[in-house]
Amino acid sequence: DITTPVLFFTRWITHYCAPVFVFLSGVSAFLTSSRKPLKQGSVALMKRGLFLVIAEITIVTLGLGFNPAFNFIFLQVIWVIGMSLILLGLCRMISEKFVFIAGAILFFGHNITDFFTIQRDGVAGGLWNLFFLAKGSVIPYAPGRMIIVLYALLPWTGVLFMGYSVGHWFTQAFPAEKRTRNLRIAGISMILLYIILRASGIYGNPSQWNSKGHFIMSFLNTEKYPPSLQFLGMTLGPAMLLLSFFEKLKPDSLLPVQVYGRVPFFYYILHFYLLHFIGIIAFFASGYPVSKATETFIIFRPNDFGYSLTIVYLIWAFVVLVLYLPCKWYYRYKQNSKHWLLKYI
């Protein structure tokens, strides 16, 4: 009742980004760590995870909030990938089977938390929010300073662990036909699981759908913060099917997309800063006074600031196109440089 179908589906399609990103991060973690001895591979994963957590607190937070005083630290998808890689590095030293079991329990079982409550105040409540329920949770750590937790850790850790557990499907030794079949079976199974759980309402999402009014939007309106099992089925199921169909595409046909895919973190960082610079220009062009710049957590983003959806789409297309050449340049630079820092970006 408070949105339109176009606005709803614009937001809905973006839901695919985080789960696919985290899942494929798990796949990538398997492919990179499996080439090294167990301990060396695990340590490498933990180092990369630590780098990502630090990058989230510094580079990403600055790009998102544009607050050089860092009064607000945002913990989003990069933080959960980083922490999950640290946990993965520890867990895989126990065994690969342990990673799969832990991942499956977190992936399929974390919505058990919907059936009981815990005191949300104090240390215990803060940790509970951090690990399981974060949805814009605020953790003050000094006067005028706070951490804003947007992504709960452990549900996303389950996604990354499951991606790691199927990572061997993507090795050169694994038959392409079998990989395609596995992806299609997994994708269809996840979609069916989502439909069954969503229709029955017995498990997998804290809120039910409404058969009245906007039925389709209500049915698709699953919980992302934290990611419910229904949300993961709705997003990862189709994503796995798409991966299976990509097997038949010739590599040359994917070249424009590969430019971004080869340097995803570089693009992710750059797009925040470019969007914020565009936002600053739009802020002053719209006639806002400087006093309105600090009205929200995000500098130069007052509550009543914004444009029509058409303008938003045009800005999105502009940002994607503008960053094509920087991403292409950076990939070539990365290929020709041996600087240790480049392997993390």
Side-chain angles (χ1 to χ4, degrees):
D1 295 333
I2 59 174
T3 188
T4 64
V6 175
L7 188 60
F8 174 86
F9 283 104
T10 297
R11 172 56 180 153
W12 180 81
I13 198 66
T14 65
H15 284 337
Y16 282 82
C17 296
V20 176
F21 196 24
V22 176
F23 180 81
L24 292 180
S25 294
V27 173
S28 177
F30 176 87
L31 296 176
T32 55
S33 62
S34 62
R35 305 186 192 122
K36 303 174 182 177
L38 178 60
K39 185 176 180 180
Q40 184 181 350
S42 295
V43 170
L45 288 175
M46 288 187 280
K47 285 182 178 179
R48 181 168 187 80
L50 180 60
F51 170 82
L52 289 176
V53 173
I54 295 173
E56 179 80 287
I57 294 172
T58 56
I59 305 171
V60 178
T61 290
L62 181 60
L64 181 61
F66 254 40
N67 184 343
F70 288 92
N71 298 91
F72 310 104
I73 294 174
F74 300 95
L75 298 184
Q76 301 185 98
V77 67
I78 299 300
W79 114 271
V80 295
I81 292 176
M83 287 300 301
S84 296
L85 287 177
I86 293 173
L87 294 174
L88 176 61
L90 295 171
C91 290
R92 72 189 293 271
M93 287 195 284
I94 298 174
S95 73
E96 300 284 339
K97 179 183 274 189
F98 181 78
V99 173
F100 171 73
I101 294 173
I105 291 173
L106 291 172
F107 188 97
F108 293 102
H110 73 272
N111 275 117
I112 292 176
T113 57
D114 296 336
F115 297 104
F116 56 90
T117 59
I118 188 172
Q119 182 66 33
R120 303 294 290 270
D121 299 327
V123 176
L127 291 175
W128 186 257
N129 285 332
L130 186 69
F131 289 130
F132 285 104
L133 299 178
K135 186 178 182 179
S137 300
V138 176
I139 304 176
Y141 67 94
R145 297 181 179 274
M146 59 191 69
I147 299 172
I148 302 173
V149 187
L150 298 173
Y151 280 62
L153 175 59
L154 293 182
W156 290 107
T157 298
V159 177
L160 188 139
F161 276 26
M162 294 304 288
Y164 178 88
S165 297
V166 301
H168 64 282
W169 293 359
F170 297 87
T171 58
Q172 291 184 344
F174 200 87
E177 292 183 1
K178 188 176 180 181
R179 174 169 57 252
T180 299
R181 184 173 67 252
N182 287 357
L183 286 169
R184 288 181 181 174
I185 291 173
I188 292 171
S189 298
M190 289 297 295
I191 293 172
L192 289 176
L193 178 65
Y194 155 66
I195 293 173
I196 293 170
L197 291 177
R198 192 68 177 147
S200 64
I202 58 176
Y203 179 75
N205 202 76
S207 61
Q208 305 299 320
W209 56 282
N210 190 344
S211 59
K212 300 178 182 179
H214 298 293
F215 161 72
I216 295 178
M217 289 193 291
S218 180
F219 197 84
L220 294 174
N221 190 27
T222 52
E223 184 63 55
K224 179 184 178 181
Y225 303 101
S228 68
L229 179 57
Q230 292 179 25
F231 171 86
L232 295 175
M234 180 185 74
T235 53
L236 289 178
M240 289 181 181
L241 287 181
L242 280 175
L243 284 173
S244 72
F245 290 118
F246 287 162
E247 285 284 338
K248 294 184 177 181
L249 295 178
K250 295 180 180 179
D252 291 345
S253 65
L254 295 172
L255 280 177
V257 180
Q258 287 178 358
V259 169
Y260 302 101
R262 286 167 173 165
V263 289
F265 187 62
F266 179 78
Y267 173 86
Y268 181 78
I269 295 293
L270 227 56
H271 99 285
F272 273 129
Y273 284 87
L274 178 55
L275 281 170
H276 218 126
F277 277 120
I278 293 172
I280 293 173
I281 294 172
F283 175 88
F284 286 109
S286 299
Y288 285 101
V290 176
S291 59
K292 295 275 284 185
T294 56
E295 188 173 89
T296 65
F297 293 154
I298 301 177
I299 307 297
F300 297 106
R301 177 61 177 85
N303 287 318
D304 58 347
F305 180 71
Y307 292 94
S308 69
L309 200 56
T310 301
I311 300 299
V312 172
Y313 273 115
L314 289 174
I315 293 173
W316 164 76
F318 172 78
V319 168
V320 172
L321 291 174
V322 165
L323 292 183
Y324 178 83
L325 289 179
C327 288
K328 190 174 182 179
W329 166 83
Y330 180 70
Y331 175 71
R332 291 176 177 173
Y333 175 74
K334 190 175 179 180
Q335 290 291 101
N336 297 321
S337 176
K338 297 186 182 297
H339 195 284
W340 66 270
L341 185 60
L342 296 180
K343 67 181 179 181
Y344 292 112
I345 303 175

